[in-house]
Amino acid sequence: MYCTMSLLYVKVLFSALCAVVLAHNKQPNIVLILADDLGWNDVGFHGSNQIPTPNIDALAYNGVVLNRFYVQSTCTPSRSALLTGQYPIRYGFQVMPILHGENRYLPLHLKTLPLHLKQLGYATRLVGKWHLGHSYFNNTPIYRGFDSHFGYWPGAIDYFNHVADGGYGMRRNLLTSWSTQNEYATHLFTRKSQDAIIEHNYKKPLFLMISHLAVHAADENQLLEVPDFAETNKTFGYISDHRRRLFAGMLTELDKSVGSVCNTLKDKGVLDDTIIIFLSDNGAQNTEMGYDNAGSNWPLRGMKATLFEGGVRSPAIMYYSKAKVKSAINSQLMHITDLMPTLYVAAGGNVKDLGTIDGVSQWGAITQGDESSRSSVLLDIDDFHPHSSLIGYRGRYKLINDSVINEFGQDGYYGKDTSPTKNPPYDVDLVLASPTNKAINKRLTKKKILTIRKKLTIQCTHKGTRPKPCDKNGLCLFDLVNDPCETENVAKKYPHIITDLSKQLLSYWKILKPQDKHFTDTKSNPIYYNNTWSTWMEHQ
């Protein structure tokens, strides 16, 4: 009898210990929110008073701001780097986004982040933009690791009618989603994301990637689209530039979306078990480049499609309630290729299983305050023009070989300072009362908010909007620690650093896969496929 009771006690104790271990090692859910063309100066937590972003700001102040987080300068390369953990130069995806109707796609041999997470037991969902190819079925999201996709395959669509260059773009997996036409895209993607969170069975962890259209320009007919034009003009009447005013309305809807997602996670009871990442795929585009969406990277130099800070330094945040480090700023060097190994480690995986990648796990650096193993970042190499850039010396020095993509004619434009006296003061109470902050409910204070915000506000002395370009026959070197706005070329002062970083760049040239020429396949024309963007190569 005594032995039987002892054995029963041991079994009960063992079961209890196993339950504790399983609870401790529970895989976190992951919600990755990717904004499109959002600039450094478009969010309030970087010091801008012009457009309130209380939900995004609340996520930043409660979490960890990744203050030196770099991305590719355009959308397709950034998205490919995120999902593969590899620099786009390795597979010919550098510089140029995929054109509408271009038969180019993420190479099929590359294993994506959602595929890796599926092997760890995750359910994987994508809502929103893809932009990594759709000429064949096997180029599309549900063949590249996502269990489901609601969104669009091309680079951009109209916010209301969901049309791009004559073709309807909205899809539910492989099927055209006509029933959702005319619903404002940001609202639609928010609703679909909330559905994914609510309907998920949390016996399996969830990876949800929310890839917004906002704040990208729509199309040539109406670049900047808001749900209520009159309300936007009323709310942001203090902004004199009507384009910037519309942009503010678009950004407001994106900010509300972040709040809605956080609130839904709380209502479902899984917020504390969820890692939330927020970032932009590249810097803002503005008045001097193509589709002007009136974004701002001030006071950083450059814009989308340039290798200056304004084009490649992203507003980025990670929030996780169980992280040791909270309400903090991490200024260590990070790159978008790091997201795959970082999240894989967070999910319980071993980085060695990912094979050859350029990303490094930043999980310990972000959540524990460990020192990052990353010492340099390749920003890009354009083998067509050519131009290239690399950051070395643990993030201090940036080498640029030729300024930017030449056909855009950019030479490091600063944009406009958005801090005139007409802007309202920064509203800390709005941040505290935001749905995001209420959902997190970690007793954030006004003092803490203002202290963090002050540290995040970059102050530069430049006044003009047209800095001297890098010499097309030479090099530019910037000290990003002392001169984050890239106002002074210090190449002549530090020839040894130029030599060192040039050698590093040369090593990447040796592994670069040349880009294919970019052109639209006439056979992709939507008129052949019921006026929709289709997997046209399947019909050849």
Side-chain angles (χ1 to χ4, degrees), residues 408-472:
F408 289 130
Q410 302 307 308
D411 58 7
Y413 176 71
Y414 278 122
K416 297 178 181 178
D417 185 354
T418 60
S419 57
T421 55
K422 288 185 179 180
N423 288 337
Y426 189 67
D427 193 341
V428 178
D429 289 329
L430 195 63
V431 176
L432 292 171
S434 68
T436 294
N437 192 57
K438 286 185 174 181
I440 293 172
N441 192 27
K442 298 298 181 183
R443 297 183 180 178
L444 194 64
T445 65
K446 288 185 179 181
K447 183 178 179 181
K448 183 176 286 186
I449 287 174
L450 294 175
T451 299
I452 295 173
R453 188 171 189 255
K454 184 177 181 180
K455 292 179 180 178
L456 289 169
T457 302
I458 293 176
Q459 299 285 353
C460 293
T461 58
H462 63 76
K463 297 180 180 179
T465 60
R466 187 62 61 191
K468 185 178 179 180
C470 297
D471 185 349
K472 292 182 180 179

Side-chain angles (χ1 to χ4, degrees), residues 335-369:
H335 187 251
I336 194 168
T337 54
D338 297 342
L339 283 179
M340 186 169 85
T342 299
L343 295 177
Y344 191 70
V345 168
N350 188 325
V351 171
K352 294 180 180 179
D353 298 336
L354 299 176
T356 302
I357 58 172
D358 298 293
V360 301
S361 173
Q362 302 282 6
W363 184 244
I366 297 170
T367 62
Q368 301 289 330

Side-chain angles (χ1 to χ4, degrees), residues 67-70 309 313 330-335 338 360-362 364-366 369-378 390-399 477-482 497 500-501 504:
N67 202 36
R68 293 293 305 282
F69 191 96
Y70 289 88
E309 294 290 276
R313 189 170 171 181
N330 189 310
S331 293
Q332 298 191 79
L333 185 63
M334 299 184 186
H335 187 251
D338 297 342
V360 301
S361 173
Q362 302 282 6
I366 297 170
D370 299 341
E371 184 175 348
S372 169
S373 62
R374 180 175 284 285
S375 60
S376 64
V377 162
L378 173 70
L390 180 140
I391 297 174
Y393 290 81
R394 301 200 68 81
R396 178 161 186 176
Y397 292 104
K398 179 199 280 189
L399 174 68
L477 182 70
F478 298 106
D479 181 346
L480 297 178
V481 172
N482 295 311
I497 295 177
D500 183 27
L501 296 183
Q504 292 186 49

